[in-house]
Amino acid sequence: DTGVSQNPRHKITKRGQNVTFRCDPISEHNRLYWYRQTLGQGPEFLTYFQNEAQLEKSRLLSDRFSAERPKGSFSTLEIQRTEQGDSAMYLCASSHWDTNTEAFFGQGTRLTVV
Amino acid sequence: KQEVTQIPAALSVPEGENLVLNCSFTDSAIYNLQWFRQDPGKGLTSLLLIQSSQREQTSGRLNASLDKSSGRSTLYIAASQPGDSATYLCAVRITQGGSEKLVFGKGTKLTVNP
């Protein structure tokens, strides 16, 4: 088990372009979360999956953001028509079905919109 | 709405000192509380998980306490080392209407000086 894996680690894109990030959770973890973190702030919740079902989407996520988790395995987060305000670290975490267990985070994807 | 506050925002200590980081939350209806460490530009590393029914957890030089009724947790670091320099984040796990998430504080940036 290699932990939560996120790709790419860094992404630089021009304003208006679409980007997609991938998260591979720890195997057998059915809970998956996406967070966004800006400099000097704590991670902010974006969305939550239980298996393949997206159970919550934060109001922080505009219509330009979409996340999927087909077959309850890996997840993708897509941002359409990127804006400079989207520049941030995007973090993925997973945890076991048992709520009383730890959440484990990946190394994040650093997005810079120029 | 659950809010998590961490005090102080930054702390600088000489090597060898014992120190305490504070975390408070506004709603005591939590499943558990987790402390994380984050190095610059990296993801989050889980340090300790305390269940809502527990009062304390220990791992090596780290000891975390939880007083759920007063909405407080502390992370005690004994005999600090320069390698402990990082940002420490606390997060509470909450559930709402079938969904769940971790709610984070903004973190305490710790610098341990040799």
Side-chain angles (χ1 to χ4, degrees):
Chain A
D1 192 343
T2 56
V4 179
S5 177
Q6 291 190 246
N7 287 289
R9 293 290 309 279
H10 304 275
K11 179 70 176 180
I12 299 175
T13 190
K14 292 183 178 180
R15 189 173 52 186
Q17 297 294 305
N18 299 342
V19 294
T20 300
F21 310 141
R22 177 177 171 128
C23 171
D24 287 274
I26 293 171
S27 59
E28 298 182 358
H29 278 193
N30 70 333
R31 300 170 189 259
L32 187 146
Y33 320 78
W34 283 98
Y35 283 80
R36 179 171 66 190
Q37 185 179 29
T38 53
L39 200 61
Q41 301 297 311
E44 295 176 297
F45 172 78
L46 292 179
T47 191
Y48 166 66
F49 288 87
Q50 188 167 309
N51 299 309
E52 67 277 7
Q54 186 176 23
L55 297 186
E56 186 175 354
K57 187 175 175 180
S58 165
R59 294 173 187 174
L60 291 175
L61 251 58
S62 72
D63 291 344
R64 298 183 296 106
F65 287 73
S66 63
E68 295 183 340
R69 193 183 181 197
K71 301 179 182 178
S73 55
F74 70 93
S75 176
T76 58
L77 177 68
E78 181 184 17
I79 309 174
Q80 296 182 326
R81 305 181 302 282
T82 52
E83 302 172 355
Q84 287 190 323
D86 297 331
S87 295
M89 173 78 90
Y90 290 83
L91 295 161
C92 176
S94 71
S95 68
H96 194 260
W97 63 267
D98 183 351
T99 308
N100 294 323
T101 55
E102 293 172 277
F104 293 91
F105 279 77
Q107 289 299 300
T109 294
R110 167 73 66 187
L111 173 66
T112 302
V113 182
V114 297
Chain B
K1 178 188 172 187
Q2 178 74 264
E3 293 184 356
V4 178
T5 303
Q6 290 188 246
I7 294 173
L11 182 63
S12 182
V13 300
E15 182 177 2
E17 197 160 291
N18 302 327
L19 58 100
V20 175
L21 307 181
N22 297 291
C23 172
S24 62
F25 46 96
T26 54
D27 189 338
S28 62
I30 65 170
Y31 262 94
N32 54 46
L33 184 145
Q34 202 167 347
W35 282 93
F36 294 89
R37 168 189 173 134
Q38 187 174 34
D39 293 296
K42 304 291 187 183
L44 279 63
T45 299
S46 179
L47 297 174
L48 287 165
L49 173 72
I50 310 180
Q51 304 300 342
S52 61
S53 58
Q54 295 178 320
R55 300 280 295 184
E56 199 172 323
Q57 273 291 349
T58 299
S59 176
R61 295 183 293 109
L62 305 180
N63 176 277
S65 69
L66 174 63
D67 184 342
K68 187 180 160 187
S69 59
S70 68
R72 294 180 182 180
S73 175
T74 62
L75 179 66
Y76 175 83
I77 302 177
S80 58
Q81 302 170 358
D84 294 332
S85 297
T87 295
Y88 290 81
L89 294 153
C90 80
V92 295
R93 178 175 260 174
I94 63 172
T95 62
Q96 265 180 324
S99 181
E100 63 151 74
K101 68 186 76 167
L102 280 78
V103 180
F104 283 85
K106 292 185 177 181
T108 293
K109 184 175 181 180
L110 173 65
T111 302
V112 181
N113 301 300

